[in-house]
Amino acid sequence: MADVPLTRPELAGTFGMVASTHWLASQTGMGVLERGGNAFDAAAAAGFVLQVVEPHLNGPAGDLPIVLWSGTDQRAHVVCGQGPSPQAATLQAFADLGLDAVPGTGLLAATVPGAFGAWTLMLQRWGTWRLRDVLEPAIGYARHGAPVLPRVSRTIDAVSALFTDEWTTSAQTYLDGGRAPAPWSRWRLTRLADTYERVLTEAEAASSDRDAQIEAARDVWYRGFVAEAVDTFARTTTWLDTSGRRHGGLLSADDLARWQPTVEEPLSGRYRDVEVLKTGPWGQGPVMLQALHILDGLDLAGPDGDLADDDPDWIHLTTEASKLAFADREAWYGDPEHVDVPLATLLSQDYAAERRRLIDPARADRELRPGSPDGRTPRLPDVPLEGLGGTRDASVGEPTVRRDGRTAGDTCHVDVVDRWGNMVAATPSGAWLQSSPVVPDLGFPLGTRAQMFWLTEGLPTTLAPGVRPRTTLSPSLALRDGEPWIAFGTPGGDQQDQWSLVLLLRMVHAAEASRRRGEPVWTGLQAAVDAPMFHHDHMPSSFFPRQTFPARLTVEDRVPRPVLDELARRGHDVQAVDGWSLGRLSAVARDGGWLRAAANPRGAQGYAVGR
């Protein structure tokens, strides 16, 4: 990794570290650590604050995968907060509506909201604080106000006409005198504060015991007044969505009541001396493991063992390995409780070697080429090369709105490490303010994760009742010598496991280069986060309108021009973008006896704090 002037200080300490996509969430988490809470208490408190301060990127009815390390049992766990599709969500139901795709916005795309269940399950099982103590910072910001980020103001402004003309409950919640709130004005979400207060009041009335209160709060959410309000709203109202028509919803109180968050074993892959832990194939996390296995048999580094920004070879090889992994995602990944995913083969070294041989070191691949694990014949969704088209009149599928009305993937992320050896990487997302009209009795909208299903029979992500959509949310945990090393992640939809892959490769190779030079092994997280980033758009997008751009490679223009020219010569469709625009990575680490943290300078709101 080339020397990069740091945008932030390199944080190191022994007490605790928090990094996230918003400074108020990070400082909230650090405040919990300072008052005796552990990493799980801190992550939950920060996560609930993110719902208030980044509502354009996540919400209370969103989704949440967590990868964590428990210092008590010395094991890693995955908490799944990805809710499934409604029982009424069948192919026939959408055919009867005349739809050939799940809309990117509105009530039809709602799945069971899993974030509340996942946060509270993690808190109950591994945390120490009461739910009221964890929720109070978020309630305080919702009731008394938080600063409106310029991005939040721009997002609301982009959909303000939709809110005024169609999504009137959202207009009542998010508009100020019929207009988007001004940047840096005070942001209040009082109805959300009331909802959380009522959840706490009913939970505390049920028991004085901490664990029983958390259980009661989940019951209130999934079988009480929250579920009832969701049911009524979905059954009795209709709203404009990206189909260009008005629809009600399929999500019911029974769907919420039958679901519960789960704790699962993480999937594992290796690169050099590092083990990487990810979610199952109900998320896209295994693509990172597949890419690492493919790359582990290639020589990425220069003469000193490092990855240099002026070397096109490692950028080319990393991109090509990622393309192959994402092709397998499209052909094989889905909810393993409903789809037979050939994971053992996909993550095997023999399969990686087979895939590795497809990489041409001199030429970019322009085809989407899934493999045939165990001799199976892959089947891909039928996607036109330049996307499916469709209307954008009813806002957007992905969460971040560009000035031209188009969208780009984004969400939230938080990492925490504490002095007791606990570590958390969590990526909350979904139920963005621009995803669906606000449920007025609750003060927040539903999510739209069902847009990731296909309405074509026979695919691993074909819509069916009670199935988890294949989410893009993908936190990561890396181990060295069996001990937790780095917890990291980023917003970014399909790009999450590309940017995280680049971060990890830089860290691993920088450490190896330091060893060769006889220097201290540690190489800073902040330098790796700050270094120029890149990604491809070679696979079908997970979001409406499911676009794909073969061989397109987007690169920050801090990468030297000769490198960009060489990548173009090899057949990549190189799109050079602003040098500080790709990814919002954050990370915490345990290394060399220190706790460390780094946050992304891109967007000027990510923040790392610790001591």
Side-chain angles (χ1 to χ4, degrees):
M1 184 167 55
D3 291 336
V4 177
L6 295 184
T7 61
R8 313 285 178 87
E10 180 69 45
L11 301 184
T14 57
F15 182 81
M17 296 279 165
V18 184
S20 84
T21 49
H22 196 289
W23 70 91
L24 289 178
S26 297
Q27 190 56 58
T28 295
M30 192 64 205
V32 172
L33 296 181
E34 294 283 6
R35 289 178 287 157
N38 65 18
F40 311 112
D41 304 317
F48 284 117
V49 166
L50 284 171
Q51 296 173 1
V52 179
V53 299
E54 291 193 308
H56 61 316
L57 306 178
N58 80 134
D63 323 291
L64 173 65
I66 305 169
V67 183
L68 64 87
W69 179 272
S70 168
T72 301
D73 61 18
Q74 289 293 293
R75 287 183 56 199
H77 305 271
V78 167
V79 180
C80 176
Q82 178 53 63
S85 57
Q87 290 298 308
T90 64
L91 295 180
Q92 189 60 50
F94 280 82
D96 290 345
L97 293 171
L99 297 174
D100 59 6
V102 178
T105 60
L107 299 186
L108 280 177
T111 58
V112 173
F116 187 82
W119 284 128
T120 55
L121 179 61
M122 181 188 70
L123 178 68
Q124 182 180 14
R125 182 160 174 177
W126 291 284
T128 63
W129 276 29
R130 290 181 176 269
L131 182 57
R132 175 171 290 279
D133 297 327
V134 166
L135 270 172
E136 277 185 342
I139 292 173
Y141 283 123
R143 189 171 302 286
H144 303 296
V148 176
L149 293 169
R151 288 186 177 188
V152 173
S153 179
R154 288 196 299 269
T155 298
I156 297 175
D157 183 63
V159 291
S160 60
L162 172 69
F163 285 1
T164 300
D165 297 340
E166 298 286 346
W167 294 4
T168 52
T169 58
S170 296
Q172 294 163 9
T173 303
Y174 300 121
L175 298 185
D176 181 9
R179 304 181 66 179
W184 304 113
S185 60
R186 187 177 292 270
W187 173 269
R188 292 181 177 89
L189 298 172
T190 54
R191 192 66 195 89
L192 172 59
D194 292 342
T195 294
Y196 275 136
E197 282 284 9
R198 182 176 172 184
V199 169
L200 290 174
T201 298
E202 294 191 18
E204 291 168 348
S207 176
S208 60
D209 177 74
R210 171 192 176 272
D211 288 356
Q213 286 179 357
I214 296 174
E215 192 73 39
R218 254 196 322 274
D219 196 60
V220 169
W221 194 271
Y222 292 100
R223 283 161 287 278
F225 81 91
V226 174
E228 292 168 1
V230 169
D231 184 291
T232 300
F233 192 68
R235 279 190 298 105
T236 64
T237 66
T238 61
W239 306 88
L240 186 69
D241 58 39
T242 51
S243 71
R245 290 182 279 150
R246 293 171 180 82
H247 295 105
L250 302 174
L251 191 62
S252 71
D254 184 62
D255 292 317
L256 272 70
R258 69 171 59 224
W259 181 80
Q260 59 184 2
T262 55
V263 176
E264 305 177 2
E265 291 294 318
L267 294 182
S268 172
R270 297 196 68 87
Y271 181 79
R272 305 295 180 99
D273 62 344
V274 172
E275 182 181 7
V276 180
L277 305 179
K278 302 289 288 187
T279 71
W282 49 266
Q284 71 177 14
V287 299
M288 185 174 175
L289 305 182
Q290 285 194 246
L292 287 169
H293 289 170
I294 294 170
L295 292 170
D296 205 20
L298 298 172
D299 185 12
L300 298 187
D304 67 350
D306 209 342
L307 302 178
D309 293 330
D310 60 358
D311 176 11
D313 288 340
W314 80 272
I315 298 177
H316 172 77
L317 294 174
T318 299
T319 300
E320 296 304 296
S322 179
K323 287 179 184 177
L324 293 170
F326 272 96
D328 279 339
R329 182 194 77 167
E330 291 306 306
W332 304 112
Y333 291 15
D335 184 346
E337 294 183 3
H338 297 268
V339 178
D340 182 15
V341 183
L343 268 178
T345 300
L346 290 172
L347 297 179
S348 69
Q349 294 301 324
D350 287 345
Y351 185 75
E354 175 186 326
R355 303 291 277 159
R356 190 182 303 126
R357 287 192 289 271
L358 297 176
I359 294 178
D360 184 342
R363 199 71 191 160
D365 187 10
R366 300 194 67 85
E367 303 294 327
L368 192 66
R369 294 190 289 177
S372 301
D374 305 326
R376 303 185 191 187
T377 300
R379 184 182 176 197
L380 292 170
D382 184 16
V383 183
L385 291 185
E386 296 304 321
L388 292 174
T391 179
R392 293 178 184 272
D393 292 343
S395 185
V396 297
E398 288 183 86
T400 301
V401 185
R402 297 175 182 166
R403 291 181 181 178
D404 63 1
R406 298 184 63 191
T407 65
D410 218 342
T411 181
C412 303
H413 187 79
V414 59
D415 305 293
V416 186
V417 60
D418 66 26
R419 62 191 186 277
W420 298 294
N422 302 307
M423 191 175 279
V424 180
T427 310
S429 185
W432 318 296
L433 65 83
Q434 65 274 32
S435 67
S436 192
V438 165
V439 182
D441 291 343
L442 301 177
F444 55 80
L446 298 177
T448 54
R449 194 65 59 180
Q451 68 182 283
M452 296 182 171
F453 287 115
W454 292 96
L455 300 184
T456 303
E457 292 191 19
L459 299 173
T461 51
T462 296
L463 176 71
V467 176
R468 288 174 289 185
R470 188 199 65 214
T471 180
T472 56
L473 308 176
S474 197
S476 303
L477 183 66
L479 313 180
R480 295 181 75 170
D481 302 321
E483 296 291 328
W485 179 37
I486 308 175
F488 58 108
T490 178
D494 297 298
Q495 283 73 49
Q496 289 182 29
D497 280 298
Q498 299 189 61
W499 296 331
S500 291
L501 173 65
V502 173
L503 174 73
L504 182 71
L505 291 173
R506 281 180 165 141
M507 293 299 300
V508 172
H509 282 277
E512 290 186 358
S514 295
R515 287 194 193 97
R516 293 182 186 183
R517 293 191 295 264
E519 300 171 353
V521 170
W522 176 256
T523 299
L525 274 180
Q526 193 62 54
V529 167
D530 287 354
M533 188 54 69
F534 60 90
H535 70 262
H536 65 83
D537 298 292
H538 189 73
M539 66 292 184
S541 170
S542 296
F543 296 89
F544 180 91
R546 313 306 289 265
Q547 293 171 303
T548 182
F549 299 91
R552 187 165 78 177
L553 179 62
T554 303
V555 188
E556 288 184 334
D557 62 13
R558 288 181 292 144
V559 173
R561 172 52 61 179
V563 173
L564 301 181
D565 292 342
E566 173 58 21
L567 291 169
R569 190 192 67 78
R570 296 187 194 190
H572 296 281
D573 177 14
V574 176
Q575 306 290 314
V577 297
D578 180 86
W580 296 95
S581 60
L582 299 183
R584 288 172 64 203
L585 284 153
S586 65
V588 297
R590 298 174 62 204
D591 193 280
W594 299 104
L595 306 181
R596 303 176 186 268
N600 207 303
R602 298 162 178 86
Q605 69 189 63
Y607 188 69
V609 61
R611 68 174 177 87

